[in-house]
């Protein structure tokens, strides 16, 4: 056709369009073929010129015809290719926009979704969508918003043509680069796709998951099961991609689930091997079964080796999961050589990295087999006879329990400065048979010291499973409805949920549930999001917190909220580690509690209640604050936590401690986990034993009495009690705490300075405490800690000088009247406030420093003041009313409940005429004048 604007050309194009409109499908197909022949590969400008600026009209006709006829397949291929000429035309995206405005993307997705569409048409539709997606972020969004991800993902899963699969995959990869808000949608669709049958699709899906994972920086728990299932694939490329993804996932929250899943695969369950092919004689199981299960076993061993080689900390975690026993089992699988090889290589890594493992494995294998293993682990299977294989399969080595305790011991050693000698004692008693490296000796003897202590763990996984279900069933029936629990269950927004649980956990630190409830409801009503809290002032926060105690907690919540909004873009940290690192005031327990309750992370959480329950369950009687016990308790909590319901499990443990396994009155008869409780068992057997002893005396029988099950190594065990068992205490023998330090005794001189306020209401002078330490940032009456070495008079003078500084004028201590004493007990301080008051006449006395202010009586009630201040006000009130009464009755009355028998000198001889009767009113100006005259 000729140049743009040429009327002859316009006429030609118009007659072309007329022919199209009038033509039947045969005519149109001929016209399309011609169009394709003449215009393929042209740019936007060339096409526009060719079609005399009427190209849009033709594209609109094509798009409409396609939408109307795609179900009949009428020359659909030709239509798609013609549209492709427009969409691929370089230089301008006008055609693209027109096509999308006419619903072109939806039609393409319909073509993909339509079961009867031809494969080649689907491939062409995918190509067109890829062109759309590659054109930019807003085009990607159009596809995602049209539910395109699901359709494209299904296309990838269901197609058996490689080119179609690859185009669908390229399209998904392209969509991953778009708006992060759709990445989660793509991520979840891909997880669903993992279960598809096509190996090619699986491989591509795994690849894209890795891409998207690196962008979203978070992993969903639902990925673990299908991913582990993919290790069954007989296609090496799929397996390799799956293992690569597993290696990537080690950095995310799903790690514990993944590691325990991998370890479990090393030992297929009986159900997984065909029943008729199992021969079971006593404990020997001949491994037969489906190939995929063994392929999976081999792949799991390979993944475990690669993970362990990359990260020493991961190796430790795997050891605590009992990986050695499982690897030995897989090595004995003579049905599948690759499982043997991979397990052997993985085991070799652990043996070479941990002397304690070497010791155990050598013991299990015997020296000849072990020598062959160390010579060439990968080909050990060739030397393995049936008996040796059975030894490996039935091995009972328990390095998990031992290893956890071994770690505990080594941590204990490093924590104890003075413990060197004790450690040497253990080293000597261990008496290693041959010379070994220093580390080897250390690990060896710690193992020996602790090897018998599986009494304090849960060596049988079946017990763990049973305990979880007993505890959770009880919790489901018995749990209290608490506002933060309701929020954690119902709040869909992850950020708000994390914030809500954070607030509750901080409030619950050192404060009872019953007290916290009201505070929590008021707090969440006032500051429902972290952003709301961040925009509050510290003063408002302190005011809200007043009465909850431990005031620095409120301040840290406030600081944390401001950090989240300014440094973390308003996003609460989403892992236990980042909670711990990024939020002030969040320690190991709080991070674990928030992580498990709000974020579903699989981690145990050890608070005071959990310490008590675990110590009683496993008869841990050493000082519960010692490093050894602390580590052992965390190890237990992490081992027990239910991977499916970690938050509920942790709350159930705490609920059990708060309501059943209470400090002073445990109700063992109602305890859901009684059957696992060593201390209950101990008490029960003790009783039985005592009654049998009595019987024995009565009947003079000499039958042997049953032994109480106990820790066989209690002499050296770091977890056993050092003090003897006290029959009267029963299960309350556990836990043991170090002797409590008596609270520090302090006396504080306090001046209540009062002036008449503008509206006839008294005003009080308050100063603000420093931002750190006890009652940080709260307002209080001017005060001074009394020191024994200085006389009280001298210290009164000092405090007067300080108040003078605040008021910018001299105040003599003679004006201060002794009021009485108030006792307030903090957890670690026995505080006595020695209260004096000064009543000034001038209402215009201005404070001269920043951290001082006058507050009216009503404002004082609302302000962020401690309970101690409120008690002082009460004392002053009671003294005032007493004086009022005295002046009315003309005689003195005894004040009950207030310690004010001491008279200050000033009250006896008021020299300055400031306050003689009743209120001791003093005009400040006359007071200063008097002071001047006096001096
Ligand atoms: Fe606590 Fe008794 Fe239950 Fe043991 S049986 S966990 S001591 S309540
Ligand atoms: Zn012990």
């Amino acid at each position: 056709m000729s140049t743009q604007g040429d009327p002859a050309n316009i006429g030609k194009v118009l007659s072309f369009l007329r022919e199209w409109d009038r033509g039947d499908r045969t005519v149109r197909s001929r016209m399309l073929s011609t169009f394709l022949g003449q215009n393929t590969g042209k740019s936007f400008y060339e096409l526009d010129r060719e079609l005399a600026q009427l190209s849009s009209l033709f594209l609109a006709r094509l798009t409409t015809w396609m939408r109307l006829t795609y179900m009949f397949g009428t020359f659909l291929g030709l239509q798609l290719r013609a549209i492709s000429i427009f969409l691929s035309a370089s230089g301008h995206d006008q055609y693209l926009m027109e096509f999308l405005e006419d619903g072109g993307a939806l039609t393409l997705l319909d073509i993909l979704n339509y079961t009867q569409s031809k494969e080649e048409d689907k491939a062409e539709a995918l190509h067109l969508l890829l062109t759309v997606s590659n054109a930019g972020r807003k085009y990607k969004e159009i596809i995602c918003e049209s539910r395109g991800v699901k359709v494209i993902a299904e296309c990838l899963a269901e197609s058996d043509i490689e080119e179609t699969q690859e185009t669908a995959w390229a399209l998904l990869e392209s969509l991953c680069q778009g708006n992060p808000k759709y990445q989660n949608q793509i991520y979840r669709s891909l997880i669903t796709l993992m279960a598809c049958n096509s190996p090619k699709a699986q491989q591509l899906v795994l690849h894209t998951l890795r891409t998207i994972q690196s962008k979203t920086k978070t992993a969903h728990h639902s990925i673990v099961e299908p991913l582990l299932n993919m290790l069954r694939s007989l296609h090496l490329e799929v397996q390799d991609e799956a293992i690569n993804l597993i290696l990537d996932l080690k950095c995310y929250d799903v790690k514990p689930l993944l590691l325990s899943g991998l370890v479990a695969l090393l030992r297929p369950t009986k159900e997984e091997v065909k029943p008729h092919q199992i021969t079971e004689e006593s404990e020997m199981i001949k491994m037969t079964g489906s190939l995929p299960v063994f392929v999976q076993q081999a792949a799991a061993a390979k993944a475990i080796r690669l993970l362990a080689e990359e990260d020493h900390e991961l190796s430790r975690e795997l050891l605590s999961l009992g990986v050695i026993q499982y690897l030995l089992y897989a090595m004995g699988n003579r049905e599948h050589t690759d499982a043997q090889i991979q397990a052997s290589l993985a085991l070799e890594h652990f043996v070479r990295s941990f002397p304690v493992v070497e010791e155990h494995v050598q013991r299990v294998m015997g020296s000849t087999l072990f020598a062959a293993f160390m010579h060439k682990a990968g080909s050990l299977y060739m030397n393995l006879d049936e008996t040796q294989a059975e030894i490996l399969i039935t091995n009972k080595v328990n390095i998990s329990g031992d290893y956890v305790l071994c770690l505990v011991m080594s941590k204990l050693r490093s924590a104890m400065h003075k413990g060197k000698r004790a450690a040497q004692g253990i080293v000597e008693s261990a008496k290693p048979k041959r010379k070994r490296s220093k580390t080897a000796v250390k690990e060896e003897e710690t193992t020996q010291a602790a090897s018998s202590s599986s009494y304090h763990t849960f060596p049988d996984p079946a017990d763990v499973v049973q305990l979880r279900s007993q505890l959770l069933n009880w919790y489901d029936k018995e749990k209290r409805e608490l506002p933060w629990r309701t929020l954690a269950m119902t709040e869909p927004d992850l950020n708000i949920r994390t914030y809500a649980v954070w607030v509750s956990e901080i409030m619950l630190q050192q404060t009872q549930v019953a007290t916290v409830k009201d505070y929590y409801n008021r707090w969440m009503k006032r500051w429902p999001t972290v952003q709301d809290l961040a925009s509050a002032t510290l003063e408002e926060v302190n005011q809200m917190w007043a009465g909850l105690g431990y005031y620095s907690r409120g301040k840290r919540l406030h600081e944390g909220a401001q950090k989240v909004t300014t440094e973390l873009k308003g996003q609460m940290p989403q892992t236990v580690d980042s909670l711990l690192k990024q939020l002030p005031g969040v320690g190991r327990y709080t991070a674990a509690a928030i992580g498990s309750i709000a974020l579903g992370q699989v981690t145990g959480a050890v608070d005071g209640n959990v310490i008590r329950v675990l110590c009683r369950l496993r008869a841990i009687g050493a000082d519960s604050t010692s490093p050894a016990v602390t580590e052992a308790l965390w190890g237990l909590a992490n081992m027990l936590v239910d991977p499916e319901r970690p938050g509920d499990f942790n709350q159930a443990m705490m609920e059990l401690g708060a309501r059943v396994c209470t400090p002073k009155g445990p109700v063992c008869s109602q305890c859901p986990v009684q059957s696992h409780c060593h201390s209950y068992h101990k008490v029960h057997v003790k009783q039985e034993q005592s009654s049998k002893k009595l019987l024995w005396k009565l009947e003079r029988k000499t039958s042997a009495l049953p032994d109480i099950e106990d820790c066989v190594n209690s002499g050296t065990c770091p977890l056993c009690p050092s003090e003897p068992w006290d029959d009267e205490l029963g299960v309350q023998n556990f836990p043991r705490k170090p002797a409590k330090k008596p609270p520090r005794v302090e006396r504080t001189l306090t001046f209540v300075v009062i002036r008449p306020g503008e509206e006839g209401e008294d005003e009080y002078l308050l100063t603000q405490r420093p931002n750190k330490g006890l009652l940080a940032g709260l307002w209080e009456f001017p005060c001074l800690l009394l020191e024994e070495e200085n006389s009280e008079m001298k210290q009164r003078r000092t405090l007067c000088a300080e108040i003078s500084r605040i008021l910018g004028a001299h105040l003599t201590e003679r004006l201060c009247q002794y009021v009485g004493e108030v006792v307030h007990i903090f957890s670690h301080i026995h505080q006595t406030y020695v209260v004096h008051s000064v009543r000034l006449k001038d209402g215009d006395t201005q404070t001269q420093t920043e951290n001082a202010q006058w507050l009216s009586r009503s404002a004082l009630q609302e302000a962020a003041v401690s309970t101690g201040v409120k008690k002082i006000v009460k004392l002053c009130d009671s003294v005032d009313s007493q004086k009022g009464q005295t002046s009315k009755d003309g005689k003195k009355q005894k004040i009950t409940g207030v310690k004010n028998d001491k008279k200050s000198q000033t009250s006896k001889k008021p020299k300055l005429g400031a306050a003689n009767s009743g209120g001791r009113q003093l005009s400040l100006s006359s007071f200063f004048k008097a002071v001047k005259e006096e001096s």
Side-chain angles (χ1 to χ4, degrees):
M1 296 189 203
S2 58
T3 52
Q4 126 185 24
D6 178 349
N9 192 29
I10 293 174
K12 215 166 165 186
V13 175
L14 284 174
S15 76
F16 173 81
L17 292 176
R18 247 191 319 273
E19 189 182 353
W20 174 270
D21 292 340
R22 287 179 191 155
D24 61 9
R25 57 198 194 119
T26 322
V27 172
R28 288 184 179 182
S29 79
R30 177 181 44 77
M31 291 173 76
L32 280 178
S33 301
T34 314
F35 179 78
L36 284 169
Q38 288 174 350
N39 297 296
T40 302
K42 282 190 175 164
S43 72
F44 168 80
Y45 300 102
E46 287 167 334
L47 268 177
D48 208 37
R49 198 166 46 237
E50 181 70 24
L51 294 171
Q53 293 178 317
L54 298 173
S55 46
S56 298
L57 294 177
F58 184 45
L59 176 59
R61 281 166 166 77
L62 272 177
T63 313
T64 312
W65 194 41
M66 179 174 76
R67 190 170 64 241
L68 295 174
T69 62
Y70 77 87
M71 282 194 167
F72 314 110
T74 317
F75 306 113
L76 183 57
L78 277 179
Q79 294 178 56
L80 288 164
R81 274 159 47 217
I83 289 171
S84 166
I85 288 178
F86 284 102
L87 302 196
S88 321
S90 56
H92 206 291
D93 60 359
Q94 182 189 317
Y95 295 142
L96 208 55
M97 288 192 288
E98 287 170 357
F99 176 69
L100 296 177
E101 274 166 20
D102 287 344
L106 277 176
T107 312
L108 293 176
L109 290 170
D110 286 343
I111 293 170
L112 294 179
N113 213 10
Y114 185 50
T115 43
Q116 288 171 34
S117 295
K118 289 187 216 151
E119 272 301 320
E120 59 267 30
D121 291 341
K122 283 189 178 181
E124 195 61 54
L126 281 167
H127 274 298
L128 283 179
L129 283 167
L130 183 58
T131 309
V132 174
S133 173
N134 286 342
R137 190 163 159 154
K138 66 180 178 190
Y139 299 109
K140 294 184 198 340
E141 283 175 25
I142 291 174
I143 298 176
C144 291
E145 275 172 8
S146 315
R147 296 168 56 84
V149 173
K150 185 170 175 281
V151 176
I152 296 160
E154 281 167 3
C155 217
L156 169 58
E158 284 159 16
S159 173
D160 43 18
I161 295 179
E162 278 206 8
E163 198 200 331
T164 311
Q165 289 177 319
E166 278 177 6
T167 316
W169 166 72
L171 185 47
L172 286 175
E173 287 257 324
S174 164
L175 293 175
C176 288
Q177 313 299 328
N179 188 336
K181 106 176 179 201
Y182 297 106
Q183 283 168 353
N184 201 26
Q185 188 188 344
I186 302 173
Y187 182 64
R188 282 175 186 269
S189 295
L190 290 171
I191 291 178
T192 317
L193 272 192
M194 291 166 91
C196 73
N197 292 325
S198 156
K200 178 75 186 174
Q202 286 181 327
Q203 189 193 347
L204 296 172
V205 164
L206 285 165
H207 194 280
T208 311
L209 272 169
R210 292 187 67 200
T211 312
I212 198 154
Q213 185 99 9
S214 66
K215 289 184 176 301
T216 55
K217 306 267 185 248
T218 157
H220 197 272
H221 283 191
S222 59
I223 197 172
V224 175
E225 197 186 330
L227 179 57
L228 294 178
N229 282 340
M230 286 172 110
L231 296 179
R232 290 185 177 203
S233 173
L234 304 181
H235 296 262
L236 269 183
E237 315 79 48
V238 176
Q239 245 193 40
D240 284 348
E241 279 293 354
I243 291 176
N244 284 336
L245 182 54
I246 287 172
L247 294 181
D248 291 351
L249 285 172
K250 73 173 190 296
C251 310
Y252 300 94
D253 305 343
V254 295
K255 180 180 72 176
L257 209 55
L258 199 61
L259 296 187
S260 53
L262 281 171
V263 172
L265 292 181
L266 294 173
R267 183 174 186 147
T269 59
K270 288 179 198 171
E271 291 77 43
E272 286 173 311
V273 292
K274 290 172 190 164
H276 67 274
Q277 288 174 297
I278 297 175
T279 54
E280 193 175 339
E281 296 161 20
S282 69
E283 297 223 292
M284 287 185 282
I285 300 167
K286 186 165 183 279
M287 293 189 55
T288 58
S290 61
L291 182 61
V293 173
F294 296 149
V295 167
Q296 190 182 25
Q297 186 186 33
K302 184 176 174 186
I304 284 171
R305 174 174 57 83
L306 295 172
L307 283 166
E309 280 173 359
E310 271 193 14
D311 187 334
H312 197 62
E313 204 40 53
L314 270 182
S315 303
R316 287 171 181 274
E317 283 179 50
L318 285 161
L319 284 181
S320 69
L321 290 169
V323 71
I324 303 301
Q325 190 178 5
Y326 284 74
L327 284 172
L328 285 165
Y329 181 89
M331 281 171 71
N333 177 12
R334 294 176 77 218
E335 299 292 321
H336 194 69
T337 309
D338 196 37
Q340 289 184 295
I341 297 172
Q342 294 300 342
S344 246
L345 293 173
L347 186 67
E348 185 189 17
H349 167 78
F350 287 102
V351 166
R352 295 198 187 278
S353 310
F354 300 92
V356 62
V357 176
E358 183 185 346
E359 185 70 26
H360 278 274
V361 172
Q362 189 170 16
R363 215 162 52 212
V364 169
M365 287 187 176
S367 48
T368 318
L369 191 60
F370 185 74
F373 168 70
M374 292 306 276
H375 174 64
K376 208 165 186 186
S379 50
L380 181 75
Y381 70 97
M382 291 195 244
N383 304 326
L384 218 56
D385 61 31
E386 201 167 325
T387 319
Q388 287 168 325
E390 277 168 9
I391 289 172
L392 295 178
I393 285 176
T394 57
N395 86 84
K396 283 268 187 264
V397 65
N398 176 14
I399 297 187
S400 58
D402 288 355
Y403 192 72
V404 168
L405 282 161
C406 177
L407 287 181
V408 167
M409 291 290 287
S410 51
K411 281 189 180 175
L412 173 66
R413 270 154 223 282
S414 57
M416 293 196 315
H417 251 337
K418 294 175 192 163
K420 249 187 174 177
R421 255 180 272 145
Q424 276 163 3
I426 299 172
V427 172
E428 275 158 28
S429 68
K431 288 182 190 160
K433 288 176 196 117
R434 56 196 163 89
K435 213 177 171 191
R436 303 177 58 126
S437 71
K438 271 189 188 169
T439 346
V441 170
K442 233 183 173 183
E443 300 243 7
E444 183 176 327
E445 48 85 16
T446 51
T447 310
Q448 292 215 3
S451 60
S452 53
S453 300
S454 60
Y455 177 64
H456 300 296
T457 65
F458 286 85
D460 187 348
D463 283 345
V464 175
V465 173
Q466 192 189 40
L467 182 143
R468 285 175 187 157
S469 96
Q470 289 168 331
L471 184 65
L472 284 168
N473 284 340
W474 170 81
Y475 179 70
D476 289 339
K477 280 189 221 125
E478 300 289 332
K479 71 172 175 223
R480 289 168 291 180
E481 294 299 329
L482 299 170
W484 46 91
R485 281 191 184 152
T486 313
L487 256 175
M489 299 265 298
T490 54
E491 175 55 59
D493 185 314
L494 192 65
N495 215 32
I496 297 181
R497 201 163 68 226
T498 312
Y499 163 71
V501 177
W502 174 41
V503 173
S504 71
E505 284 301 332
I506 299 292
M507 283 189 171
L508 286 165
Q509 287 171 359
Q510 293 135 328
T511 308
Q512 302 272 340
V513 167
T515 315
V516 167
K517 273 203 247 172
D518 276 355
Y519 279 88
Y520 184 78
N521 286 335
R522 268 186 277 134
W523 181 288
M524 293 305 292
K525 201 168 170 196
R526 181 146 183 204
W527 300 305
T529 66
V530 68
Q531 285 78 9
D532 295 325
L533 175 59
S535 55
T537 64
L538 180 57
E539 191 55 32
E540 288 168 329
V541 170
N542 279 337
Q543 206 172 337
M544 179 71 98
W545 200 273
L548 255 186
Y550 296 92
Y551 293 85
S552 57
R553 293 182 295 166
K555 183 169 168 259
R556 295 227 191 88
L557 268 177
H558 184 240
E559 269 171 26
Q562 293 193 322
K563 185 171 179 190
V564 169
T565 45
T566 52
E567 294 175 27
L568 308 176
K569 299 180 184 156
Q571 291 301 306
M572 291 289 296
Q574 298 290 305
T575 63
V576 173
D577 274 356
S578 51
L579 284 161
L580 194 59
K581 282 183 199 142
Q582 292 175 322
L583 295 183
V586 169
R588 189 177 182 183
Y589 157 76
T590 310
I594 304 171
S596 58
I597 298 169
L599 307 166
Q601 298 201 336
V602 185
T603 172
V606 180
D607 74 341
N609 282 320
V610 177
I611 290 176
R612 187 167 56 258
V613 173
L614 289 176
C615 283
R616 288 178 181 167
L617 279 176
R618 294 293 99 172
I620 297 174
D623 169 8
S624 63
T625 61
S626 67
V629 174
T630 305
E631 285 312 312
L633 293 175
W634 275 94
L636 280 173
N638 285 330
M639 178 200 275
L640 291 177
V641 66
D642 189 308
E644 298 294 321
R645 299 175 60 190
D648 284 346
F649 181 87
N650 288 336
Q651 292 186 90
M653 285 289 276
M654 296 181 223
E655 188 89 348
L656 186 73
R659 296 179 55 203
V660 176
C661 194
T662 56
K664 299 247 165 77
V667 204
C668 298
S669 58
Q670 288 172 24
C671 177
V673 294
Q674 187 203 71
S675 59
H676 300 277
C677 183
H678 281 346
S679 44
Y680 177 79
H681 181 70
K682 236 169 143 66
V683 171
H684 190 68
V685 174
K686 271 252 176 195
Q687 279 169 357
E688 235 172 54
Q689 208 175 42
S690 311
S691 54
K692 280 193 178 167
K693 267 183 192 165
L694 195 68
L695 267 179
W696 178 77
K697 272 187 191 163
L698 292 174
E699 296 175 14
R700 299 188 175 275
K701 282 185 182 169
T702 50
S703 59
L705 297 175
D707 283 329
I708 297 170
E709 190 197 330
D710 218 333
C711 172
V712 291
N713 204 19
S714 56
T716 50
C717 174
L719 306 180
C720 271
S722 52
E723 289 166 41
W725 173 266
D726 180 345
D727 271 348
E728 279 188 13
L729 285 176
V731 296
Q732 291 173 51
N733 273 283
F734 307 104
R736 299 273 166 106
K737 279 188 186 157
K740 236 186 173 183
K741 274 197 217 155
R744 204 166 69 226
V745 175
E746 281 184 2
R747 287 174 66 77
T748 299
L749 184 64
T750 305
F751 279 11
V752 180
V753 185
I754 310 165
R755 70 173 188 184
E758 278 174 11
E759 287 166 19
E761 204 181 5
D762 278 345
E763 288 184 342
Y764 297 80
L765 178 65
L766 284 123
T767 55
Q768 194 173 25
R769 289 186 64 86
N771 278 334
K772 280 188 181 153
L774 184 74
L775 308 174
L778 293 196
W779 292 87
E780 63 184 2
F781 296 120
C783 60
L784 179 76
L785 183 65
L786 287 169
E787 288 159 349
E788 269 183 20
E789 57 273 25
N790 292 323
S791 74
E792 200 169 317
M793 191 191 288
K794 193 173 167 194
Q795 296 183 75
R796 273 206 301 271
R797 213 169 291 146
T798 312
L799 186 53
C800 278
E802 174 57 18
I803 297 171
S804 305
R805 192 183 67 80
I806 293 169
L807 297 176
H810 184 67
L811 172 67
T812 173
E813 47 116 2
R814 290 184 184 188
L815 292 169
C816 309
Q817 187 182 28
Y818 174 76
V819 179
E821 293 188 358
V822 167
V823 174
H824 185 62
I825 305 199
F826 297 91
S827 60
H828 54 302
I829 304 173
H830 185 286
Q831 181 67 264
T832 304
Y833 295 103
V834 183
V835 184
H836 290 67
S837 71
V838 181
R839 192 172 278 276
L840 308 176
K841 267 191 175 167
D842 279 12
D844 59 349
T845 316
Q846 295 303 316
T847 56
Q848 307 291 312
T849 53
E850 254 185 22
N851 56 353
Q853 59 173 330
W854 287 100
L855 279 185
S856 71
R857 178 56 185 271
S858 44
L860 181 66
Q861 298 298 342
E862 299 291 310
V865 296
S866 68
T867 314
V869 168
K870 289 183 178 159
K871 281 187 183 174
I872 294 170
V873 174
K874 231 176 172 179
L875 167 70
C876 293
D877 284 354
S878 102
V879 171
D880 275 354
S881 70
Q882 193 63 46
K883 277 182 182 161
Q885 196 63 39
T886 308
S887 55
K888 253 196 217 167
D889 301 353
K891 56 180 179 182
K892 275 199 169 180
Q893 286 191 356
K894 205 176 174 196
I895 301 163
T896 47
V898 178
K899 204 174 163 189
N900 70 341
D901 51 341
K902 188 175 158 191
K903 302 269 178 187
S904 78
Q905 278 183 326
T906 46
S907 64
K908 278 183 192 161
K909 298 177 189 171
K911 273 192 179 175
L912 296 177
N916 301 326
S917 62
R920 281 177 59 80
Q921 297 277 313
L922 171 72
S923 143
L924 198 66
S925 50
S926 60
F927 155 65
F928 288 127
K929 205 171 147 223
V931 169
K932 222 174 165 188
E933 279 165 9
E934 209 186 35
S935 59

